[in-house]
C-alpha cells in the first residue's frame, strides 16, 4: 500500500510537470529598462522630428536645422534623463519611508498588524482556520512579515538600488538614438526642403517599426500600436511645419 501510494504520488507530480510544460502563459513581462527605452525613443523620434520640420518650414538651411536639432537632442536627453533619475529616486525614497513606518507599526502594535494580515488573506477567500497558521508563521519571521505587509498591504516592491542611474542613462541614450534618426538626412542633403522630405520618409518608417515593436512588448496589437505611434509623430511635425509657415507669412 505504501509503495502504491508513493508510486501514485510520483505519477501525479510527473503529470503536473507535463501540464506546466504544455501551458505557456503569455503575460507582459517587460522590465523597467524596456519601459525606459520606449519613453526615450518615443520622445526622441517625435520632438527633434517636429523641430526639424518647423525649421524647414521657415526655409532654414540644412546646416541650421542640423545644429538646432543636435542642440535639442542634447538638451532633451539631459532633461529626460534627469526626469527619469528623479522619478526613480522619488520612488525609492517613498519605499524606504514606508518600510520604516511599517516596521515601527509592527514593533509597537503587532496585534493590529497581525489582524491586517488576516484581513488581507480573508479577501482571497481564506477562512480563520486557513489563514491562522499563516499569521502565526509570519509573526515568527519578522523579515517575512515586513515584506508581506509592504507587498500585500501597501503594494510596494523593493526598488533596485541602481534603478535611478540606470533609468537616467537608458532614457537619455534612447532619446539620443531616436533623435538622430530625423536629423541624419540633413547631414547628407544640403537643401533643407529635400532633406525634410527624406527625413519625413525615414522617420515615419522608424515610427512604424518602433510602434510595432512597442506593441509586441506591451501586449498591445502591434499594427495598431504602429499606426498610432506614426500618427502622433506625423501630427506633431505637421503642426510645427504649419506654425513655421504661418509665422513666416506674417
Amino acid at each position: 500500500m505504501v509503495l502504491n501510494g508513493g508510486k501514485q504520488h510520483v505519477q501525479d507530480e510527473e503529470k503536473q510537470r507535463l501540464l506546466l510544460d504544455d501551458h505557456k502563459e503569455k503575460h507582459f513581462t517587460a522590465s523597467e529598462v524596456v519601459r525606459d527605452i520606449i519613453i526615450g525613443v518615443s520622445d526622441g523620434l517625435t520632438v527633434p522630428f517636429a523641430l526639424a520640420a518647423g525649421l524647414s518650414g521657415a526655409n532654414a538651411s540644412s546646416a541650421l536645422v542640423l545644429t538646432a536639432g543636435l542642440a535639442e537632442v542634447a538638451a532633451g536627453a539631459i532633461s529626460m534623463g534627469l526626469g527619469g533619475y528623479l522619478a526613480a529616486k522619488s520612488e525609492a525614497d517613498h519605499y524606504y519611508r514606508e518600510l520604516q513606518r511599517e516596521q515601527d507599526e509592527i514593533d509597537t502594535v503587532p496585534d493590529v498588524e497581525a489582524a491586517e494580515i488576516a484581513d488581507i488573506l480573508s479577501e482571497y477567500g481564506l477562512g480563520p482556520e486557513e489563514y491562522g497558521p499563516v499569521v502565526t508563521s509570519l509573526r515568527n519571521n519578522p523579515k517575512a512579515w515586513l515584506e508581506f505587509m509592504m507587498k500585500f498591504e501597501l503594494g510596494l516592491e523593493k526598488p533596485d538600488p541602481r534603478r535611478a542611474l540606470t533609468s537616467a542613462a537608458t532614457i537619455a541614450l534612447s532619446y539620443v538614438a531616436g533623435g538622430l534618426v530625423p536629423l541624419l538626412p540633413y547631414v547628407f542633403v544640403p537643401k533643407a526642403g529635400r532633406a525634410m522630405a527624406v527625413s519625413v520618409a525615414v522617420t515615419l518608417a522608424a515610427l512604424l517599426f518602433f510602434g510595432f515593436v512597442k506593441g509586441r512588448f506591451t501586449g498591445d496589437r502591434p499594427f495598431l500600436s504602429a499606426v498610432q505611434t506614426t500618427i502622433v509623430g506625423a501630427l506633431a511635425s505637421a503642426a510645427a511645419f504649419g506654425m513655421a509657415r504661418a509665422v513666416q507669412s506674417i
Side-chain angles (χ1 to χ4, degrees), residues 182-199:
L183 298 179
L184 282 177
Y186 294 91
V187 176
F188 303 105
V189 182
K191 292 185 177 181
R194 186 174 298 174
M196 186 188 74
V198 177
S199 177

Side-chain angles (χ1 to χ4, degrees), residues 11-23:
Q11 291 176 342
D12 290 342
E13 286 187 343
E14 181 66 18
K15 183 178 180 181
Q16 185 177 17
R17 186 185 64 80
L18 291 174
L19 286 173
L20 290 174
D21 289 340
D22 292 337
H23 177 63

Side-chain angles (χ1 to χ4, degrees), residues 27-235:
H27 297 294
F28 172 50
T29 57
S31 68
E32 292 172 328
V33 173
V34 171
R35 290 193 288 269
D36 287 342
I37 292 174
I38 290 174
I39 292 171
V41 174
S42 179
D43 280 12
L45 281 171
T46 305
V47 178
F49 182 35
L51 174 65
L55 290 174
S56 298
N59 292 326
S61 65
S62 284
L64 179 59
V65 173
L66 182 61
T67 302
L70 290 175
E72 194 288 324
V73 168
I78 293 171
S79 176
M80 294 286 292
L82 181 60
Y85 176 86
L86 293 176
K89 185 70 166 54
S90 296
E91 289 179 3
D93 291 343
H94 173 66
Y95 176 86
Y96 287 110
R97 281 195 302 270
E98 292 300 320
L99 183 71
Q100 185 58 54
R101 184 179 292 114
E102 195 64 36
Q103 182 65 69
D104 292 341
E105 291 177 354
I106 289 174
D107 293 337
T108 56
V109 285
D111 292 338
V112 174
E113 292 298 297
E116 290 179 354
I117 298 176
D119 289 339
I120 292 170
L121 294 177
S122 66
E123 292 177 358
Y124 290 90
L126 276 68
E129 68 284 353
E130 295 167 316
Y131 64 64
V134 178
V135 174
T136 302
S137 178
L138 287 173
R139 294 194 69 161
N140 292 330
N141 188 340
K143 183 179 179 181
W145 187 359
L146 181 60
E147 291 177 355
F148 179 91
M149 299 306 289
M150 291 298 293
K151 182 177 293 186
F152 291 97
E153 181 190 18
L154 302 179
L156 297 176
E157 297 282 350
K158 185 178 181 180
D160 185 340
R162 298 172 297 178
R163 169 66 183 146
L165 289 176
T166 301
S167 177
T170 304
I171 292 176
L173 292 175
S174 299
Y175 189 92
V176 171
L180 291 178
V181 172
L183 298 179
L184 282 177
Y186 294 91
V187 176
F188 303 105
V189 182
K191 292 185 177 181
R194 186 174 298 174
M196 186 188 74
V198 177
S199 177
V200 168
V202 171
T203 307
L204 290 181
L207 285 167
L208 275 170
F209 176 75
F210 170 71
F212 183 87
V213 173
K214 182 179 70 172
R216 291 293 298 271
F217 270 110
T218 59
D220 295 332
R221 287 178 289 180
F223 288 104
L224 180 60
S225 176
V227 172
Q228 289 175 337
T229 304
T230 305
I231 289 175
V232 170
L235 289 176

